[in-house]
Amino acid sequence: MSDTSLVDLPSIRDWIAASDDHSDHHLRLIQQVESLLSDGCELPTDESRLLASKLERWRYQRFNECGDSRQSMDETLIDQLDLWLNQLRGTNPRCLRSARHAVKPQATDDSFSEWFDPDRETESLQAMATRLTQEHFSISTPETGAGSGQRRMLLYAPLYVSSHCVNHCTYCGFQYPLKIDRIHLDRDEVLQQSRILRQRGFRHQLIVAGDFPRLTSTEYFCDLIAMLRQENLELSIEIASQSTDSYAAMKKAGVTGLTLYQETYDESVYRSLHLKGPKASYHWRLEAPDRAAEAGIGRIGLGVLLGLADPEEDVRAMLRHASYLKDRFPQLKLAFSLPRIRHAPDGYEIPFVIEDELLIRMYCICRLAFPDSELILSTREPAELRDRLKQICITQMSAGSSTTPGGYRETNDEEGITDQSLGEQFPIVDQRPVETIAAGLQEDGFDVQWTFAQPGSNG
Ligand code: SF4
């Protein structure tokens, strides 16, 4: 073994030759890696980057092929490929991607286990979460001192650009077999939608799309991001999991944040819900935050769709995932969102009904586990619950949202925020106009912000 390998290479070659349907191709790749790494030239080069992309693809193929029954040699190869692609990208030394181990229950209790104790009353969790949120998300001034000024609340808007999707996520209104009016916005249409949102105040916009590789390509997103950056906007993405190269291209185009929900961390439930399409690969999705952070995206939002599987287990796994990411990327700004599934297409029965009290408890636990993380709440929750949660721990809210591409209209009367007749991903429950929500926050003493780039904010 050498510092470029975790394993005796002849033995891995023999194993590949005996077990891999594409062994000739893969053995050639290994040969190229060895030759590049022994050359002594400074990395990365265009050639080494290209080779790293090929190794990344091979690594996920291996995950998919061996499924749940990975042998120790599979694990070794998966890690070996990661080590090589880091070296080829010039990012060595970096500890290897290991989210697959990190999200599993640990032999010893997680540091946040105590907050899940059912004997802890929700009121005591709420009080602690409220205090921590005030401490970490208030505006400091010389008069108020740290932790006692106005709380800040970021308002943001989702900007849906495409409802085309090849994935069969059984719980989603955009899933492939559903007959809905699919909409894909071109750059002019996206610009028009974005400007409507900008007029309403939103400088932080979240680009959202289904997964339809021919239409929702890296080039498409990079073009939109670069165009919207010209509008002086702050941009995040909530799109299909991307390769490291794709995330790097989007970062270069100007994106600063990624939102990506694992949906559920229960691997067998995940497989049963994601029947076909690229999203069926649990590990490709699980490691997307790693790839985004490796590509330099500095804000990452994790989440689970509460109700698909045991909610408490899912939140525990999400927090383990976050701890792992924070260890690997200490500068990363983390966010959490806990949407709950309340409506689903015909044929999908929601297995866990999540009551308001449980949702509040889970949000409080996120705050206690990660006191300085952003906690995000969307308009799929009712106004009363949003008003309650904002006082406790929420730091980012969407407002006046549409989940239909092209759904924002110039006029904004009380009922006309979205055009519900078009295919939407999920129904909006809090339908209050943006100005009503912003005014309510101000009346309650919040400092309403429209972008992270604010002076004086602790968050
Ligand atoms: S959840 Fe996302 S990937 Fe799945 S069908 Fe809906 S839009 Fe497509």
Side-chain angles (χ1 to χ4, degrees):
M1 278 184 266
S2 72
D3 58 356
T4 61
S5 69
L6 301 167
V7 70
D8 175 43
L9 281 180
S11 67
I12 211 163
R13 278 202 206 89
D14 290 347
W15 181 71
I16 289 166
S19 65
D20 188 335
D21 289 345
H22 307 282
S23 56
D24 288 351
H25 172 62
H26 289 146
L27 290 171
R28 259 199 312 279
L29 285 182
I30 291 181
Q31 212 173 10
Q32 287 172 31
V33 173
E34 287 183 286
S35 149
L36 259 176
L37 293 181
S38 61
D39 252 6
C41 65
E42 198 167 323
L43 299 177
T45 59
D46 287 349
E47 189 187 359
S48 75
R49 281 200 196 90
L50 185 63
L51 191 50
S53 308
K54 290 179 181 170
L55 296 188
E56 188 165 274
R57 276 201 295 277
W58 176 14
R59 189 168 172 275
Y60 289 108
Q61 276 164 10
R62 199 71 210 180
F63 268 126
N64 294 341
E65 282 160 9
C66 51
D68 289 336
S69 54
R70 286 192 297 280
Q71 304 164 3
S72 70
M73 209 51 151
D74 288 307
E75 287 285 349
T76 306
L77 176 63
I78 281 166
D79 282 341
Q80 180 63 63
L81 292 172
D82 195 17
L83 179 68
W84 276 331
L85 66 89
N86 271 330
Q87 290 167 333
L88 293 169
R89 286 183 174 133
T91 47
N92 192 51
R94 171 186 276 149
C95 58
L96 299 178
R97 297 174 191 171
S98 58
R100 65 192 184 281
H101 305 305
V103 300
K104 296 256 162 67
Q106 308 296 307
T108 53
D109 272 359
D110 302 305
S111 58
F112 43 77
S113 277
E114 58 171 312
W115 309 123
F116 286 89
D117 181 348
D119 289 339
R120 280 193 180 266
E121 290 180 354
T122 304
E123 290 69 28
S124 80
L125 293 177
Q126 278 186 38
M128 286 187 282
T130 307
R131 184 178 50 73
L132 281 173
T133 310
Q134 177 67 26
E135 210 172 296
H136 288 270
F137 292 90
S138 62
I139 314 282
S140 319
T141 64
E143 294 77 45
T144 60
S148 50
Q150 267 187 307
R151 273 258 319 273
R152 76 127 166 95
M153 180 71 74
L154 179 86
L155 288 183
Y156 76 96
L159 173 57
Y160 275 70
V161 298
S162 185
S163 53
H164 287 262
C165 196
V166 294
N167 288 310
H168 294 231
C169 311
T170 47
Y171 49 84
C172 176
F174 284 173
Q175 64 173 277
Y176 174 71
L178 285 183
K179 299 273 178 256
I180 60 166
D181 289 335
R182 305 272 171 181
I183 300 165
H184 181 77
L185 304 187
D186 64 23
R187 66 197 312 277
D188 290 343
E189 291 165 327
V190 171
L191 186 58
Q192 183 253 2
Q193 288 285 290
S194 173
R195 284 183 173 164
I196 292 174
L197 291 174
R198 181 70 186 84
Q199 277 162 13
R200 292 180 191 168
F202 295 109
R203 284 186 55 208
H204 188 98
Q205 299 182 9
L206 174 68
I207 298 172
V208 188
D211 181 8
F212 199 90
R214 186 169 56 78
L215 292 172
T216 56
S217 61
T218 304
E219 294 69 33
Y220 173 69
F221 289 118
C222 286
D223 186 37
L224 295 185
I225 293 162
M227 172 184 75
L228 296 177
R229 281 293 297 141
Q230 297 292 317
E231 302 280 298
N232 199 21
L233 297 173
E234 212 170 61
L235 298 165
S236 293
I237 44 173
E238 187 177 338
I239 60 175
S241 313
Q242 304 288 310
S243 66
T244 312
D245 289 345
S246 251
Y247 282 131
M250 292 178 203
K251 157 86 180 147
K252 196 168 166 204
V255 91
T256 52
L258 167 78
T259 297
L260 196 128
Y261 305 148
Q262 186 60 27
E263 317 294 13
T264 174
Y265 285 86
D266 183 321
E267 201 172 333
S268 62
V269 173
Y270 184 96
R271 286 185 208 285
S272 72
L273 296 176
H274 301 96
L275 304 173
K276 286 185 195 164
K279 195 172 167 182
S281 172
Y282 175 87
H283 292 281
W284 173 245
R285 192 161 186 88
L286 183 67
E287 288 191 350
D290 279 289
R291 297 192 299 275
E294 286 171 19
I297 294 180
R299 288 186 179 275
I300 294 196
L302 303 179
V304 285
L305 187 51
L306 288 180
L308 298 181
D310 182 313
E312 195 176 302
E313 288 307 313
D314 264 342
V315 173
R316 280 176 186 268
M318 179 186 74
L319 295 176
R320 287 194 285 264
H321 194 186
S323 297
Y324 152 82
L325 288 169
K326 201 67 186 163
D327 284 347
R328 200 162 180 244
F329 306 99
Q331 307 305 322
L332 200 61
K333 303 264 189 208
L334 282 173
F336 300 103
S337 183
L338 298 174
R340 52 181 172 171
I341 181 162
R342 308 173 81 203
H343 307 272
D346 291 345
Y348 179 69
E349 202 153 316
I350 300 168
F352 291 85
V353 175
I354 310 298
E355 304 293 351
D356 288 0
E357 289 310 305
L358 180 64
L359 183 71
I360 291 171
R361 229 179 136 83
M362 293 298 116
Y363 265 117
C364 288
I365 290 173
C366 291
R367 170 60 66 233
L368 296 169
F370 288 89
D372 62 354
S373 62
E374 298 284 342
L375 297 187
I376 305 173
L377 191 61
S378 80
T379 47
R380 68 160 86 199
E381 294 298 344
E384 312 77 57
L385 181 66
R386 277 166 42 99
D387 284 346
R388 196 170 154 199
L389 267 166
K390 78 184 182 192
Q391 300 287 1
I392 303 170
C393 56
I394 296 301
T395 56
Q396 281 185 46
M397 299 176 102
S398 52
S401 304
S402 166
T403 64
T404 303
Y408 296 110
R409 298 285 177 265
E410 298 280 355
T411 52
N412 183 13
D413 54 51
E414 288 287 321
E415 279 83 40
I417 305 164
T418 66
D419 186 339
Q420 303 283 334
S421 63
L422 297 170
E424 58 183 2
Q425 189 184 27
F426 56 82
I428 299 301
V429 180
D430 183 355
Q431 295 211 11
R432 293 174 294 178
V434 183
E435 54 271 30
T436 306
I437 291 177
L441 283 163
Q442 278 158 351
E443 275 166 31
D444 289 337
F446 284 84
D447 181 59
V448 175
Q449 300 189 352
W450 303 90
T451 159
F452 281 113
Q454 298 278 335
S457 162
N458 286 342

